[in-house]
mmCIF file of all heavy atoms in Angstrom:
data_model
loop_
_atom_site.group_PDB
_atom_site.id
_atom_site.type_symbol
_atom_site.label_atom_id
_atom_site.label_comp_id
_atom_site.label_asym_id
_atom_site.label_seq_id
_atom_site.Cartn_x
_atom_site.Cartn_y
_atom_site.Cartn_z
ATOM 1 N N HIS F 24 13.094 -2.843 -9.047
ATOM 2 C CA HIS F 24 12.820 -3.856 -10.068
ATOM 3 C C HIS F 24 12.467 -3.152 -11.381
ATOM 4 O O HIS F 24 11.641 -2.232 -11.378
ATOM 5 C CB HIS F 24 11.661 -4.746 -9.604
ATOM 6 C CG HIS F 24 11.545 -5.999 -10.398
ATOM 7 N ND1 HIS F 24 11.124 -6.016 -11.706
ATOM 8 C CD2 HIS F 24 11.838 -7.286 -10.085
ATOM 9 C CE1 HIS F 24 11.130 -7.255 -12.162
ATOM 10 N NE2 HIS F 24 11.576 -8.044 -11.195
ATOM 11 N N PRO F 25 13.058 -3.588 -12.484
ATOM 12 C CA PRO F 25 12.810 -2.899 -13.760
ATOM 13 C C PRO F 25 11.332 -2.865 -14.170
ATOM 14 O O PRO F 25 10.864 -1.888 -14.751
ATOM 15 C CB PRO F 25 13.657 -3.669 -14.779
ATOM 16 C CG PRO F 25 14.131 -4.892 -14.081
ATOM 17 C CD PRO F 25 14.057 -4.652 -12.612
ATOM 18 N N LEU F 26 10.592 -3.924 -13.868
ATOM 19 C CA LEU F 26 9.168 -3.944 -14.250
ATOM 20 C C LEU F 26 8.405 -2.852 -13.490
ATOM 21 O O LEU F 26 7.533 -2.166 -14.041
ATOM 22 C CB LEU F 26 8.544 -5.302 -13.922
ATOM 23 C CG LEU F 26 8.862 -6.452 -14.874
ATOM 24 C CD1 LEU F 26 8.300 -7.742 -14.311
ATOM 25 C CD2 LEU F 26 8.289 -6.161 -16.253
ATOM 26 N N ILE F 27 8.743 -2.701 -12.197
ATOM 27 C CA ILE F 27 8.056 -1.686 -11.381
ATOM 28 C C ILE F 27 8.454 -0.294 -11.870
ATOM 29 O O ILE F 27 7.596 0.582 -12.054
ATOM 30 C CB ILE F 27 8.385 -1.894 -9.885
ATOM 31 C CG1 ILE F 27 7.761 -3.222 -9.409
ATOM 32 C CG2 ILE F 27 7.871 -0.726 -9.042
ATOM 33 C CD1 ILE F 27 8.054 -3.579 -7.975
ATOM 34 N N LYS F 28 9.727 -0.105 -12.151
ATOM 35 C CA LYS F 28 10.183 1.218 -12.638
ATOM 36 C C LYS F 28 9.456 1.578 -13.940
ATOM 37 O O LYS F 28 8.974 2.696 -14.119
ATOM 38 C CB LYS F 28 11.691 1.192 -12.902
ATOM 39 C CG LYS F 28 12.562 1.183 -11.656
ATOM 40 C CD LYS F 28 14.028 1.278 -12.093
ATOM 41 C CE LYS F 28 15.001 0.793 -11.065
ATOM 42 N NZ LYS F 28 15.078 1.558 -9.848
ATOM 43 N N HIS F 29 9.394 0.619 -14.853
ATOM 44 C CA HIS F 29 8.758 0.849 -16.154
ATOM 45 C C HIS F 29 7.280 1.225 -15.980
ATOM 46 O O HIS F 29 6.797 2.198 -16.557
ATOM 47 C CB HIS F 29 8.893 -0.427 -16.996
ATOM 48 C CG HIS F 29 8.213 -0.367 -18.317
ATOM 49 N ND1 HIS F 29 8.786 0.196 -19.442
ATOM 50 C CD2 HIS F 29 6.982 -0.782 -18.712
ATOM 51 C CE1 HIS F 29 7.945 0.115 -20.463
ATOM 52 N NE2 HIS F 29 6.847 -0.468 -20.040
ATOM 53 N N LYS F 30 6.601 0.474 -15.128
ATOM 54 C CA LYS F 30 5.161 0.724 -14.966
ATOM 55 C C LYS F 30 4.910 2.051 -14.232
ATOM 56 O O LYS F 30 3.924 2.738 -14.514
ATOM 57 C CB LYS F 30 4.511 -0.458 -14.220
ATOM 58 C CG LYS F 30 4.419 -1.714 -15.097
ATOM 59 C CD LYS F 30 3.882 -2.899 -14.320
ATOM 60 C CE LYS F 30 4.072 -4.212 -15.079
ATOM 61 N NZ LYS F 30 3.274 -4.312 -16.294
ATOM 62 N N ILE F 31 5.799 2.421 -13.324
ATOM 63 C CA ILE F 31 5.622 3.719 -12.649
ATOM 64 C C ILE F 31 5.804 4.854 -13.663
ATOM 65 O O ILE F 31 5.077 5.851 -13.644
ATOM 66 C CB ILE F 31 6.593 3.867 -11.459
ATOM 67 C CG1 ILE F 31 6.188 2.907 -10.331
ATOM 68 C CG2 ILE F 31 6.586 5.308 -10.928
ATOM 69 C CD1 ILE F 31 7.134 2.888 -9.143
ATOM 70 N N SER F 32 6.758 4.695 -14.581
ATOM 71 C CA SER F 32 6.949 5.734 -15.608
ATOM 72 C C SER F 32 5.682 5.882 -16.452
ATOM 73 O O SER F 32 5.285 7.000 -16.805
ATOM 74 C CB SER F 32 8.139 5.391 -16.509
ATOM 75 O OG SER F 32 9.298 5.298 -15.731
ATOM 76 N N MET F 33 5.044 4.758 -16.760
ATOM 77 C CA MET F 33 3.792 4.834 -17.533
ATOM 78 C C MET F 33 2.692 5.527 -16.730
ATOM 79 O O MET F 33 1.885 6.291 -17.267
ATOM 80 C CB MET F 33 3.347 3.433 -17.960
ATOM 81 C CG MET F 33 4.274 2.817 -18.993
ATOM 82 S SD MET F 33 3.918 1.081 -19.294
ATOM 83 C CE MET F 33 2.410 1.196 -20.233
ATOM 84 N N LEU F 34 2.666 5.275 -15.413
ATOM 85 C CA LEU F 34 1.669 5.937 -14.543
ATOM 86 C C LEU F 34 1.843 7.451 -14.555
ATOM 87 O O LEU F 34 0.878 8.208 -14.503
ATOM 88 C CB LEU F 34 1.855 5.497 -13.090
ATOM 89 C CG LEU F 34 1.218 4.249 -12.537
ATOM 90 C CD1 LEU F 34 1.452 4.212 -11.039
ATOM 91 C CD2 LEU F 34 -0.263 4.182 -12.853
ATOM 92 N N ARG F 35 3.109 7.881 -14.583
ATOM 93 C CA ARG F 35 3.383 9.318 -14.496
ATOM 94 C C ARG F 35 2.871 10.071 -15.716
ATOM 95 O O ARG F 35 2.511 11.237 -15.622
ATOM 96 C CB ARG F 35 4.903 9.549 -14.416
ATOM 97 C CG ARG F 35 5.575 9.054 -13.168
ATOM 98 C CD ARG F 35 7.008 9.541 -13.189
ATOM 99 N NE ARG F 35 7.882 8.919 -12.212
ATOM 100 C CZ ARG F 35 7.946 9.259 -10.930
ATOM 101 N NH1 ARG F 35 7.146 10.198 -10.468
ATOM 102 N NH2 ARG F 35 8.798 8.673 -10.119
ATOM 103 N N ASP F 36 2.869 9.385 -16.862
ATOM 104 C CA ASP F 36 2.548 10.038 -18.136
ATOM 105 C C ASP F 36 1.128 10.609 -18.102
ATOM 106 O O ASP F 36 0.170 9.869 -17.887
ATOM 107 C CB ASP F 36 2.688 8.988 -19.254
ATOM 108 C CG ASP F 36 2.574 9.597 -20.636
ATOM 109 O OD1 ASP F 36 1.958 10.677 -20.792
ATOM 110 O OD2 ASP F 36 3.096 8.967 -21.580
ATOM 111 N N GLU F 37 1.012 11.903 -18.341
ATOM 112 C CA GLU F 37 -0.319 12.522 -18.279
ATOM 113 C C GLU F 37 -1.252 12.000 -19.362
ATOM 114 O O GLU F 37 -2.462 12.180 -19.285
ATOM 115 C CB GLU F 37 -0.201 14.056 -18.370
ATOM 116 C CG GLU F 37 0.324 14.559 -19.689
ATOM 117 C CD GLU F 37 0.349 16.080 -19.776
ATOM 118 O OE1 GLU F 37 0.026 16.739 -18.777
ATOM 119 O OE2 GLU F 37 0.687 16.570 -20.864
ATOM 120 N N ASN F 38 -0.690 11.347 -20.380
ATOM 121 C CA ASN F 38 -1.540 10.798 -21.446
ATOM 122 C C ASN F 38 -2.065 9.401 -21.115
ATOM 123 O O ASN F 38 -2.827 8.836 -21.899
ATOM 124 C CB ASN F 38 -0.750 10.744 -22.766
ATOM 125 C CG ASN F 38 -0.440 12.134 -23.265
ATOM 126 O OD1 ASN F 38 -1.317 13.010 -23.262
ATOM 127 N ND2 ASN F 38 0.801 12.369 -23.665
ATOM 128 N N THR F 39 -1.645 8.826 -19.998
ATOM 129 C CA THR F 39 -2.174 7.514 -19.597
ATOM 130 C C THR F 39 -3.603 7.700 -19.071
ATOM 131 O O THR F 39 -3.822 8.430 -18.102
ATOM 132 C CB THR F 39 -1.269 6.878 -18.511
ATOM 133 O OG1 THR F 39 0.024 6.672 -19.078
ATOM 134 C CG2 THR F 39 -1.819 5.559 -18.017
ATOM 135 N N GLY F 40 -4.546 7.045 -19.740
ATOM 136 C CA GLY F 40 -5.967 7.215 -19.391
ATOM 137 C C GLY F 40 -6.379 6.355 -18.199
ATOM 138 O O GLY F 40 -5.601 5.515 -17.722
#
Side-chain angles (χ1 to χ4, degrees):
H24 195 290
L26 283 173
I27 293 178
K28 287 185 201 294
H29 176 84
K30 288 175 193 293
I31 290 176
S32 300
M33 291 170 73
L34 274 187
R35 293 188 193 280
D36 188 336
E37 66 177 4
N38 293 315
T39 298

